[in-house]
Amino acid sequence: MEVLFRDFQTACQEGSGHLLAATISPIAPPSYLNRLDAIYKDSDVASISQDVARGLTKSAHAAIQYPNPQIDTWTEIYTAYWYAIGGIIAAEQPTSRPEWLRVYMAWKDLANTIIKHYSSGVLEAWTLPVLYMAGKHLRIFAIKADEAAAASGGSDTFNTGEIQEDIAGDFDKNQKLEDAARVINRMFTLCISDRAPLEESRKWGLYYTANLQFKTYFKLNSPSLCKNVIRALGAGRTDMPDLDAFPRSHIVTWKYYVGVLRFLEEDYAGAEESLTSAWHMCHHSATHNIELILTYLIPTCLLTRQLLPSPRLLSPYPRLAEIFTPLVDAIRSGSLSTFDAALADGEAEFVKRRIYLTLERGRDMCLRNLLRKVYLATGMDEEGKRRTRIRVAEFGAAIRLGERGVEGENLENDEVECMVANMICKNLIKGYISRAHGMVVLSKNGAFPGTGI
Amino acid sequence: MTSTAPYWGTAPIATHHMQSTGAFTSVAVRRSFGQNHVSAVPAPPGPPAPQQASSPSAAAAKAKRDWPASVRHYVQRAFASENSIPGINREEMETKLKQVISDSAESNTLLTVDWANKPLPQHMILDERQQSTYLNQNPPWGNGVAPLSIYETNQRSTDSPSKKRKSSDLDSSQDGLQNLPPWRFANSHNVFEARITHPDKRQRNDLSGKSTSKSHQAKNKKRFEDGQAGYVSPKQPFTPSQLNTPPQEMDQGPVIGRCQDLEKKYFRLTSAPNPDTVRPLPVLERTLDLLKRKWKKENNYSYICDQFKSLRQDLTVQHIKTEFTVNVYEIHARIALERGDLGEYNQCQTQLRALHSQHLGGHPEEFKAYRILYFIHTCNRTDMNNALADLTPEEKKVPAIKHALETRSALALGNYHRFAQLYLSTPNMGAYLMDMFVGRERLAALSNMCLSYKPSIKLRFFTEELGFESDDESARFICDHGGQAFLEDREGEVLILTGKAGRFFEAARQAAFQKVDIKGQI
C-alpha cells in the first residue's frame, strides 16, 4: 500500500500525469512485479477506504497540504482501483476460471469514478494520462470479458426482457465492449466540452480519447460510428489546439484511423494523404504500427498512383510481404490467372483487413501490363514506329493465353472489347476502339500512361 | 501539487472552490459535504459515514444544536447501509435529508413529526424519480422535447409513438443518428442523458438491486393502477396490460397468447404485450396459411405487409424461434422483395441473418445471395465486406451465392458484358434486386462506351451487351437519359454516335450512383 502513496506523492510533486497514471496501472511495472499483490494484500474490504484516506492524508502531511477534495477524490479512485486489482489478481491465477466480467465491472467503476471527478473539476488537465490509463484498459478488459462470455457458451442472446419488435435484436457478443464504448465516449465528451483556457484544458485529451473510440468502433466492426467523432472534432476545431501541437503518438494514431476511414469510403486521395503522413511520423521502431499503416497505404497507392511496393519496402515486414508479394508479382508480370489465384488465396486475410475490395481493382493494372506486353510485342511498322493499331483479337489471344480452362476459351471478343473500354475509361490506356474495324487504335504518344511508352 | 499553481491564477472559480472547501478541512467528518458546496439550505450537520466512528459527528451536531433523539434516530436510519438504495448516491441522499430536516425545523415541526415512520430521504428521492419518469413517459408537451427523454433507454426509444422508427430509417446512411445501432443511441445523447435520464436509469438499477421499497411500490400501484392488484415492473412502468400477469413473466419470460383471431392489425408496441391480443403458435400457423392464400388471390401488399408485421410481433413477444419463424420472415422478405419494398425487406433480412445463424432451417443460402445483391445496390462496402467475411468456402460454391459474387466482381471491375449475362440468369428472386440497380449499371456502361468507342457503335450491340430485351427498349433507355441526339438511323441501322456523346452520360451516371434510395417503403 505504501508504494501507492509514495508513487502518488512523487507524481504530484513532479506534476507528471504519466507517473500519476502509472499508479493506477493494472499491470505491474518490471521493476516491481509484485506491485498489485502488495497493494491488494495490504488491506481488506472493510477498511480499504479508510486505509487509503489515511495513507493519502499522511503522505499529504509529509509533503504538501492537499486540499480536501483531492484527498477524497483519490481515496475514491484508489479504493475503486483496489477492488479492480483484486479481480485482476484473481483472474490472472492460472488455475482458476478467469472472471474477466468481474474485472471489467470493477474497472468500469474505476473509470466512472475518474470521469466523475473530472467533470466535477477536481482532477485537472495535467492528470489526463490517468483518464487514458482508465480508458485504455477498460477497452481491453471489455474485450476479455466478451471473450470469456463467448467461451463459456453463448447465453440466450435473444430477448433480454425489454419490449422488442423483432425476434432477434442485436447480438450480445460484444455486449461489454459496447458498454465500454459508451464510457469511452463520455471520456471524449469530457474533453471536448471543457471550456477552460487551452493551457489547462482537457482538450489536450481529445485525440487520445478519439483514437480510443476509433479503436473500439473498429473492434465492434462499426467503423461508420467514427464519423460522429470526426464531425465533433471538426465542429470544435476553432477553439482547439492545432493538431501539430498534440503529442506525436496521438497524431499518428489519429491520422492512421482517419486514413483508414477514408480508405473505406473510397476516398483514396484523402487516404493517401493521411496514411502517408502517419507513415512518415510514425516512430521507426514501432514496426507493428508501420505494418498497419502500410497495410492500407499499399493498396491505396496501387489505385491512386499505380505504385507497387518494392521488395525492399516489404522486407522488414514479413507478414506484409507474405500477403502482398504474390499479388504484386502477378501484377508485374501481367498474369491475370496468377492474380486471380493470389487474390482468392488471400481472400480471407484481405477481407478481414477490409482491403479485399480495393485490392481486387489491382486487376486493372495487371490487365494493363498484359496489354502493354501485347503492344510491345506487336513490333514496328514500315516506318520504324510502333504499330498503334492492334486488333481486338490480338488482345483477346493474350488474355486467353493467360486464362486457363473453360473461362479462357469462352472469352468472347465482345468481352475483350469491354475490358479494353474499361482501360480507356480509367485512363490506363490512351486510345479508342473502332468497332467497325475490330481495332483498338492507340495513342501515338504515351499509349500506356505512366509506363514510359 | 506543484502544477496546480497556475490554476490559481487563471481560474477564479476553481480557486473559490478550493478555498471554500479548504474551510471545511478542519472538520474531518464533514468531508463529504465539502464537495457539496451548493448547499444553500441552513442544514444541520450531516451524520457520519456508516463505516466511520459515529460519535464525533454526533458530538459535532450536538455542539451546534440539540437535535431531538427522534430526529437523530431518523438520520441514523437514513445512513444505515441496509437502507441504502443502489443508484442513489450519498450526496443526493444527504441533500435531501438536510432539506427534510431543515424544512421541518423552519416550520417548527421537529418534535411533532413522526420521525420513526417518516419515509427515508432515499425513498423520497426514488418516489420523485418515479413521478418525473411518469411525466417523461407521458409528456404533456409536443414532440420537440419528448424524444430526448425517450432515447434514454435504448429499447424503449423504439416504442414511443412520437419517434416512430420507419424500417427504412435503420439504413438511411445520410442520417448519422438513425444509422446507429441501438446501443449507440444512449451514447450519442449523452449530454441529455446526464440531465434527463437519471431518474429512469437509476430506477433500473434499483430493479437489479432488488431493493425497491414496499411503500414505494404501494404508492406506485395506487398512482397508476387504480388500486388493482399487480406489480409494475420499473423497467416498463405504467402499463395496465401487465396487470394480470405475474411479475416474473413480465420481466423476462415470454408472453403466452390466448387470442384466437387469425387476422390482426399491426400496432407498434408501446407497452408490454397483452396476452389477450397475442395469438399462440397454432393460431399463427393458420394465419400464415391464410396470408399466403390471400396474397395469391388478392395481391394487396399494404394489407399483407401489415399482417406480417403483426405476425412477426406475436412471434417475438412469445419468444418463438423455430423453423416456423424463419419461414414467416422468409416469406415476408420475398413478398417485400417482389414489391420492391426494400425497407421492409431489409428488416427481414437482418432478422433472417440472425435466425439463419442459429441453424433453424429455412433457406440461408438463398438469402445470403440476396444480401450480397442488396449490398451491391446500396453500395455499402462495409456491409459487403462483412457479408464476404461471413461466407464459407462451401457457400461460395452454391449457385445462387456464386452468381451474386460473380455479379459483384463483374461490377467492381466494370465488366458490363459479364454483368448482363449474369443479369439474365439470376436465380430465385434475385432479379428483383438486380432490377434495382441494372439501370445505373447500364448507364455506367453507356457512359463507358461513349468514352472508348469511336466514332459510333450499333444500337444492336448496346442492346445485346447490356441485356435489353429489344432495340426499342435500349433506345428508350438512351432517350430517357436525354441522349436522343446521339441516335442516328443510317441505312436501316440505328447507331449510337459515341464519339459525339463523349462525356455526355457521365453526369447522369454519377447522379445515379449518388442517390441510392432505399427509403421507398410502400
Side-chain angles (χ1 to χ4, degrees):
Chain A
M1 212 68 168
E2 283 309 310
V3 63
L4 191 60
F5 306 127
R6 208 171 48 238
D7 290 349
F8 174 74
Q9 196 182 322
T10 319
C12 289
Q13 274 166 346
E14 294 187 14
S16 160
H18 287 284
L19 286 181
L20 195 58
T23 63
I24 61 153
S25 169
I27 299 165
S31 57
Y32 188 13
L33 289 171
N34 270 335
R35 184 175 181 272
L36 299 191
D37 276 322
I39 295 174
Y40 189 68
K41 296 223 171 93
D42 221 13
S43 187
D44 54 53
V45 178
S47 59
I48 174 65
S49 99
Q50 285 107 308
D51 284 353
V52 173
R54 203 177 309 121
L56 284 176
T57 320
K58 219 168 77 193
S59 73
H61 279 304
I64 319 155
Q65 187 75 42
Y66 294 113
N68 240 12
Q70 290 277 352
I71 298 216
D72 289 336
T73 300
W74 285 99
T75 303
E76 263 192 67
I77 292 175
Y78 284 136
T79 306
Y81 175 61
W82 183 85
Y83 278 107
I85 55 179
I88 294 166
I89 292 167
E92 280 174 351
Q93 295 297 324
T95 47
S96 67
R97 204 165 55 91
E99 283 194 60
W100 288 110
L101 179 63
R102 192 184 136 205
V103 177
Y104 171 73
M105 295 315 282
W107 195 265
K108 187 182 156 193
D109 278 346
L110 173 65
N112 279 330
T113 309
I114 290 171
I115 291 175
K116 185 177 87 187
H117 290 294
Y118 273 107
S119 45
S120 71
V122 177
L123 291 177
E124 295 159 58
W126 69 272
T127 64
L128 273 174
V130 173
L131 188 71
Y132 304 162
M133 180 70 82
K136 178 181 163 191
H137 290 284
L138 183 72
R139 182 179 162 275
I140 293 170
F141 290 139
I143 292 171
K144 285 190 171 169
D146 286 335
E147 281 169 1
S152 73
S155 51
D156 191 310
T157 49
F158 289 117
N159 302 322
T160 45
E162 306 276 343
I163 302 176
Q164 272 183 323
E165 276 301 310
D166 264 321
I167 197 87
D170 261 21
F171 279 108
D172 287 347
K173 66 175 197 230
N174 286 321
Q175 204 189 17
K176 289 292 160 277
L177 191 57
E178 290 172 2
D179 189 50
R182 276 190 286 270
V183 178
I184 293 169
N185 184 269
R186 284 179 63 202
M187 294 180 171
F188 176 74
T189 316
L190 204 59
C191 292
I192 205 162
S193 59
D194 191 9
R195 296 267 172 272
L198 276 191
E199 308 83 66
E200 61 217 30
S201 170
R202 286 192 296 267
K203 287 221 159 77
W204 292 102
L206 274 176
Y207 284 104
Y208 190 94
T209 46
N211 291 338
L212 208 51
Q213 292 202 74
F214 286 168
K215 246 181 166 168
T216 312
Y217 295 151
F218 269 81
K219 180 80 185 174
L220 286 171
N221 208 9
S222 348
S224 58
L225 296 178
C226 300
K227 281 185 214 148
N228 299 328
V229 180
I230 294 180
R231 209 179 300 133
L233 276 174
R237 190 142 285 163
T238 44
D239 49 0
M240 259 167 57
D242 284 341
L243 182 59
D244 301 342
F246 281 85
R248 202 174 237 233
S249 58
H250 298 195
I251 310 176
V252 171
T253 314
W254 164 261
K255 292 217 162 166
Y256 164 73
Y257 277 112
V258 170
V260 175
L261 286 167
R262 286 175 168 171
F263 176 90
L264 295 177
E265 286 167 11
E266 295 186 89
D267 169 13
Y268 292 113
E272 189 186 339
E273 186 200 323
S274 299
L275 290 171
T276 309
S277 133
W279 185 41
H280 288 321
M281 286 179 80
C282 191
H283 197 278
H284 60 84
S285 68
T287 40
H288 181 66
N289 285 350
I290 296 180
E291 204 174 285
L292 287 175
I293 295 170
L294 287 178
T295 305
Y296 295 94
L297 188 55
I298 289 172
T300 304
C301 289
L302 192 71
L303 286 199
T304 51
R305 299 195 284 145
Q306 282 99 48
L307 273 184
L308 292 174
S310 68
R312 199 168 67 89
L313 176 74
L314 292 176
S315 64
Y317 315 104
R319 202 188 51 81
L320 288 184
E322 193 190 318
I323 63 172
F324 284 130
T325 307
L327 271 186
V328 170
D329 289 348
I331 293 176
R332 277 219 178 83
S333 63
S335 165
L336 290 176
S337 56
T338 321
F339 179 87
D340 291 341
L343 193 66
D345 281 349
E347 184 177 330
E349 181 75 10
F350 296 144
V351 166
K352 197 176 124 210
R353 299 184 186 280
R354 302 192 177 93
I355 52 177
Y356 179 81
L357 298 177
T358 306
L359 285 176
E360 181 184 38
R361 287 163 62 176
R363 200 173 196 271
D364 285 338
M365 253 179 95
C366 187
L367 179 62
R368 195 270 316 267
N369 287 351
L370 177 65
L371 300 186
R372 182 171 173 270
K373 278 188 177 177
V374 175
Y375 173 67
L376 291 178
T378 314
M380 312 289 176
D381 59 15
E382 300 84 42
E383 294 168 32
K385 286 185 182 158
R386 286 205 182 281
R387 267 180 54 205
T388 52
R389 285 160 185 254
I390 297 172
R391 284 188 294 122
V392 172
E394 289 178 64
F395 283 136
I399 297 171
R400 263 179 226 114
L401 208 62
E403 301 237 11
R404 268 170 251 140
V406 192
E407 288 281 321
E409 280 162 31
N410 282 351
L411 185 72
E412 298 162 30
N413 274 347
D414 283 350
E415 188 169 351
V416 176
E417 273 183 32
C418 168
M419 289 163 124
V420 175
N422 264 303
M423 293 285 107
I424 295 172
C425 284
K426 288 173 183 161
N427 206 23
L428 290 168
I429 294 182
K430 271 186 162 174
Y432 65 89
I433 306 169
S434 167
R435 181 149 171 89
H437 302 96
M439 285 279 194
V440 179
V441 182
L442 295 172
S443 163
K444 288 200 171 62
N445 310 311
F448 292 85
T451 66
I453 50 173
Chain B
M1 294 308 279
T2 45
S3 68
T4 55
Y7 213 113
W8 289 68
T10 43
I13 303 162
T15 311
H16 171 73
H17 174 73
M18 305 273 247
Q19 279 169 349
S20 68
T21 51
F24 284 93
T25 49
S26 52
V27 187
V29 283
R30 292 180 61 185
R31 266 211 314 246
S32 44
F33 281 84
Q35 288 175 39
N36 197 359
H37 51 99
V38 284
S39 56
V41 196
Q51 69 263 56
Q52 281 167 340
S54 60
S55 51
S57 93
K62 248 183 194 154
K64 281 189 182 169
R65 180 164 183 175
D66 207 7
W67 297 100
S70 57
V71 177
R72 268 185 282 145
H73 187 70
Y74 176 72
V75 170
Q76 267 167 17
R77 258 199 319 136
F79 277 90
S81 56
E82 68 265 23
N83 285 333
S84 75
I85 294 181
I88 295 180
N89 63 31
R90 272 192 53 170
E91 268 175 57
E92 286 173 274
M93 196 278 290
E94 281 175 3
T95 316
K96 186 79 193 167
L97 179 64
K98 275 198 245 174
Q99 191 199 332
V100 169
I101 298 181
S102 58
D103 282 357
S104 172
E106 273 170 31
S107 56
N108 274 328
T109 51
L110 273 179
L111 293 168
T112 52
V113 168
D114 179 11
W115 290 105
N117 290 320
K118 190 163 177 75
L120 292 175
Q122 47 266 56
H123 294 150
M124 294 181 182
I125 294 173
L126 204 61
D127 265 1
E128 282 165 15
R129 285 179 188 166
Q130 284 292 347
Q131 283 183 39
S132 66
T133 313
Y134 175 63
L135 287 177
N136 283 342
Q137 280 303 109
N138 307 281
W141 51 81
N143 279 355
V145 189
L148 294 183
S149 62
I150 282 154
Y151 269 124
E152 91 258 329
T153 53
N154 327 347
Q155 303 282 351
R156 187 127 28 94
S157 69
T158 54
D159 304 322
S160 156
S162 57
K163 176 68 196 170
K164 200 160 138 196
R165 186 192 64 175
K166 292 256 165 52
S167 55
S168 56
D169 284 350
L170 279 176
D171 290 275
S172 60
S173 46
Q174 316 298 331
D175 188 342
L177 256 187
Q178 301 291 354
N179 204 16
L180 302 179
W183 57 268
R184 264 285 289 176
F185 265 178
N187 203 12
S188 57
H189 283 263
N190 224 336
V191 185
F192 299 111
E193 200 178 22
R195 280 183 218 150
I196 301 174
T197 69
H198 275 242
D200 200 47
K201 266 176 78 182
R202 293 273 159 72
Q203 209 175 298
R204 285 203 279 163
N205 291 345
D206 297 343
L207 183 80
S208 55
K210 299 280 180 224
S211 63
T212 323
S213 80
K214 286 255 164 59
S215 65
H216 147 68
Q217 263 184 37
K219 263 198 166 171
N220 228 359
K221 239 187 278 175
K222 258 182 220 139
R223 196 177 301 135
F224 301 113
E225 297 171 20
D226 276 335
Q228 290 183 55
Y231 171 92
V232 171
S233 153
K235 258 189 195 173
Q236 306 147 6
F238 331 123
T239 47
S241 61
Q242 290 175 355
L243 296 180
N244 303 326
T245 335
Q248 279 81 4
E249 252 189 50
M250 246 149 4
D251 239 16
Q252 50 229 235
V255 176
I256 295 167
R258 37 182 182 248
C259 173
Q260 295 297 315
D261 303 338
L262 285 188
E263 291 165 275
K264 176 176 137 184
K265 265 192 89 59
Y266 170 72
F267 286 109
R268 176 165 284 277
L269 282 178
T270 51
S271 63
N274 181 352
D276 290 334
T277 61
V278 172
R279 296 160 290 181
L281 184 58
V283 178
L284 291 174
E285 279 166 352
R286 281 187 287 137
T287 302
L288 181 63
D289 287 338
L290 174 79
L291 293 182
K292 281 199 281 197
R293 278 200 309 277
K294 279 210 171 187
W295 172 241
K296 247 183 219 151
K297 213 169 86 194
E298 297 167 15
N299 224 347
N300 178 352
Y301 182 69
S302 58
Y303 164 79
I304 282 291
C305 183
D306 190 72
Q307 289 296 321
F308 263 99
K309 281 167 90 109
S310 74
L311 177 52
R312 278 160 44 186
Q313 189 184 59
D314 283 358
L315 286 171
T316 305
V317 298
Q318 299 181 90
H319 295 204
I320 298 173
K321 278 174 293 175
T322 60
E323 191 171 0
F324 177 72
T325 318
V326 180
N327 206 2
V328 167
Y329 276 92
E330 286 187 350
I331 294 174
H332 192 187
R334 291 198 194 101
I335 290 176
L337 211 51
E338 194 177 331
R339 273 309 171 96
D341 184 354
L342 282 190
E344 205 58 49
Y345 163 75
N346 187 45
Q347 276 194 5
C348 295
Q349 172 185 267
T350 314
Q351 297 300 315
L352 277 170
R353 186 182 168 217
L355 289 167
H356 285 148
S357 73
Q358 310 250 313
H359 305 293
L360 297 169
H363 306 83
E365 279 125 8
E366 177 190 341
F367 281 87
K368 279 199 175 174
Y370 293 161
R371 239 159 74 78
I372 293 166
L373 294 176
Y374 179 79
F375 291 142
I376 294 176
H377 170 58
T378 56
C379 300
N380 189 331
R381 279 166 60 92
T382 310
D383 286 345
M384 178 66 86
N385 196 71
N386 294 342
L388 291 181
D390 276 353
L391 295 175
T392 63
E394 291 75 48
E395 283 173 330
K396 285 178 195 160
K397 291 181 197 134
V398 176
I401 296 180
K402 188 161 180 278
H403 169 272
L405 287 175
E406 283 177 7
T407 308
R408 187 206 63 75
S409 159
L411 289 178
L413 295 169
N415 194 334
Y416 48 79
H417 178 87
R418 184 100 190 87
F419 168 69
Q421 290 174 343
L422 291 163
Y423 173 64
L424 297 175
S425 62
T426 314
N428 301 328
M429 294 179 70
Y432 287 106
L433 282 163
M434 299 274 271
D435 279 339
M436 299 278 173
F437 53 81
V438 68
R440 81 176 183 217
E441 298 299 343
R442 280 172 170 164
L443 198 53
L446 177 61
S447 169
N448 198 328
M449 285 176 168
C450 288
L451 288 172
S452 48
Y453 284 94
K454 281 176 189 174
S456 64
I457 54 171
K458 290 173 188 162
L459 179 64
R460 186 75 222 149
F461 172 63
F462 179 64
T463 307
E464 281 171 3
E465 273 293 89
L466 289 159
F468 286 104
E469 274 179 12
S470 63
D471 285 357
D472 277 355
E473 194 194 348
S474 63
R476 207 178 318 120
F477 178 82
I478 292 173
C479 293
D480 283 349
H481 291 94
Q484 55 270 37
F486 307 116
L487 289 176
E488 195 178 277
D489 197 339
R490 202 178 286 169
E491 294 156 17
E493 259 189 337
V494 183
L495 298 179
I496 307 174
L497 303 177
T498 50
K500 234 171 96 186
R503 300 201 163 267
F504 180 81
F505 295 103
E506 188 61 15
R509 183 192 69 86
Q510 274 178 11
F513 273 88
Q514 247 164 31
K515 49 162 201 240
V516 182
D517 187 14
I518 51 164
K519 284 192 179 173
Q521 233 181 329
I522 304 173

